[in-house]
Amino acid sequence: MRDRIDREPARPLDVVALARDAGVPAGLLSREFRRAYGLSPHACVVARRAAGPVGARGAPPA
């Protein structure tokens, strides 16, 4: 999921569809994402969009 957010930050985030593809409940996917990255999937998308293109300001937000 994180790779998709970094590659396509403007694309709408569908946690339910991503969870279905991963074979886990959406709540679990969101909790594990927050545990791994310190942000919810939505907060990560917002931060990534605010940061702009990776090449413009360096690495994407953690």
Side-chain angles (χ1 to χ4, degrees), residues 18-51:
L18 291 169
R20 184 176 46 245
D21 291 345
V24 298
L28 176 63
L29 183 71
S30 291
R31 284 191 301 277
E32 291 301 318
F33 189 94
R34 183 186 299 268
R35 186 172 301 159
Y37 298 107
L39 296 170
S40 70
H42 175 73
C44 186
V45 168
V46 170
R48 182 66 189 88
R49 287 176 183 163

